[in-house]
């Protein structure tokens, strides 16, 4: 989508997707500054505005990738999880949705289940931000609770929709929290901070198959319980 093209909120929601292949085209700092300034209007309980972000490109971004790669090389001993990304004992329908979207992703790339090396290589691309030239790391004080984490999610959604408006793409990535300490130490964040997620930012590689497969959403009948409207 061309930058500065008028786009409604509805259209931005439909166009936004988690992009997993970016071009190396740089992102204008002034555009990002305008986006983050607008995102400050995101709702926040008690106006706490708990979100804090570090936005990286170039050498600082590479240092984070290198630090996390060193942890990954240690295998399971390298894990430094900040929190459980998915609930323990996840059941249906949520487990089926999670499994289904993963299988659809690998199918779009032609990587069958038996190709363990191919799947691992694709998974490792997470920790390169899928080639994005800009990475945002979202964190907050450890004293914050679930309501403030909800605030961070609303801020992040606001950023992602504004990126669409400006012709940019993104991919929210909680996977970085698996190596949270390495990220925080590289960014000089104190122990009083907890890493929530990364957000890869850049221009989508529109020709990449991984950016073209349809991501399903469940119907309203599975999530909305209407009451008092049809009596």
């Amino acid at each position: 989508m061309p930058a500065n093209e008028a786009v409604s909120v509805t259209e931005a929601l439909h166009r936004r997707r988690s992009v997993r292949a970016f071009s190396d085209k740089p992102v204008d700092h002034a555009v990002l500054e305008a986006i983050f300034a607008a995102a400050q209007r995101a709702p926040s309980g008690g106006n706490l505005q708990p979100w804090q972000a570090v936005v990286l490109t170039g050498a600082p971004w590479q240092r984070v990738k290198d630090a996390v790669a060193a942890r990954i090389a240690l295998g399971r001993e390298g894990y430094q999880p900040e929190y459980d990304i998915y609930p323990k004992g996840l059941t249906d329908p949520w487990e089926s949705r999670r499994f289904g979207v993963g299988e659809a992703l690998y199918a779009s790339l032609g990587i069958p289940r038996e190709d363990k090396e191919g799947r691992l290589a694709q998974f490792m691309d997470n920790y390169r931000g899928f080639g994005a030239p800009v990475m945002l790391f979202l964190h907050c004080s450890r004293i914050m609770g679930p309501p403030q984490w909800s605030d961070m999610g609303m801020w992040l959604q606001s950023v992602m929709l504004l990126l669409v408006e400006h012709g940019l793409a993104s991919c929210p990535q909680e996977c970085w929290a698996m190596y949270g300490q390495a990220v925080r130490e590289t960014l000089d964040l104190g122990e009083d901070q907890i890493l929530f997620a990364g957000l890869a930012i850049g221009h989508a590689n529109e020709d990449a198959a991984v950016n073209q497969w349809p991501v399903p959403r469940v119907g309203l009948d599975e999530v909305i319980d209407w009451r008092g409207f049809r009596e």
Side-chain angles (χ1 to χ4, degrees):
M1 183 186 70
N4 300 321
E5 176 184 321
V7 57
S8 69
V9 175
T10 299
E11 184 67 16
L13 278 165
H14 282 286
R15 292 186 182 184
R16 190 219 66 82
R17 67 175 292 141
S18 294
V19 165
R20 292 180 173 86
F22 291 85
S23 76
D24 58 3
K25 181 179 178 180
V27 178
D28 189 336
H29 174 267
V31 171
L32 290 177
E33 190 170 25
I35 286 170
F36 296 136
Q40 285 300 105
R41 299 304 306 170
S44 174
N47 203 31
L48 268 62
Q49 304 170 66
W51 50 81
Q52 297 286 308
V54 181
V55 184
L56 309 171
T57 193
W61 171 207
Q62 186 62 49
R63 283 195 288 273
V64 175
K65 287 184 279 190
D66 292 343
V68 171
R71 297 299 306 183
I72 293 173
L74 298 175
R76 289 190 175 275
E77 293 183 4
Y79 289 167
Q80 303 166 315
E82 298 280 80
Y83 57 88
D84 291 329
I85 294 177
Y86 299 105
K88 290 181 171 65
L90 192 64
T91 59
D92 279 337
W94 308 287
E95 178 64 14
S96 292
R97 293 174 190 167
R98 179 188 175 194
F99 178 81
V101 77
E103 289 302 299
L105 186 155
Y106 289 120
S108 75
L109 295 168
I111 305 176
R113 288 187 61 79
E114 58 270 20
D115 185 358
K116 303 299 184 183
E117 290 187 4
R119 291 195 169 205
L120 178 60
Q122 175 60 31
F123 175 76
M124 291 300 296
D125 207 26
N126 278 281
Y127 296 102
R128 292 183 285 271
F130 304 111
V134 174
M135 176 60 70
L136 177 154
F137 286 108
L138 183 58
H139 61 98
C140 72
S141 169
R142 290 186 184 274
I143 69 172
M144 299 299 173
Q148 289 76 50
W149 281 55
S150 174
D151 288 352
M152 284 198 292
M154 290 188 283
W155 181 84
L156 196 61
Q157 173 79 326
S158 300
V159 170
M160 290 188 286
L161 296 181
L162 288 161
L163 286 166
V164 171
E165 181 185 34
H166 286 269
L168 292 165
S170 64
C171 183
Q173 296 183 277
E174 292 174 321
C175 65
W176 292 98
M178 292 298 297
Y179 302 95
Q181 183 175 339
V183 174
R184 286 187 285 102
E185 288 179 351
T186 307
L187 299 179
D188 293 322
L189 303 179
E191 286 295 325
D192 63 320
Q193 297 295 300
I194 185 168
L195 178 69
F196 172 33
L199 183 70
I201 298 172
H203 297 269
N205 178 348
E206 302 290 355
D207 296 327
V210 74
N211 290 336
Q212 297 176 8
W213 57 282
V215 181
R217 289 292 189 265
V218 300
L220 290 185
D221 59 332
E222 294 190 50
V223 295
I224 303 295
D225 179 6
W226 298 99
R227 302 187 182 190
F229 288 90
R230 298 169 183 168
E231 295 177 357

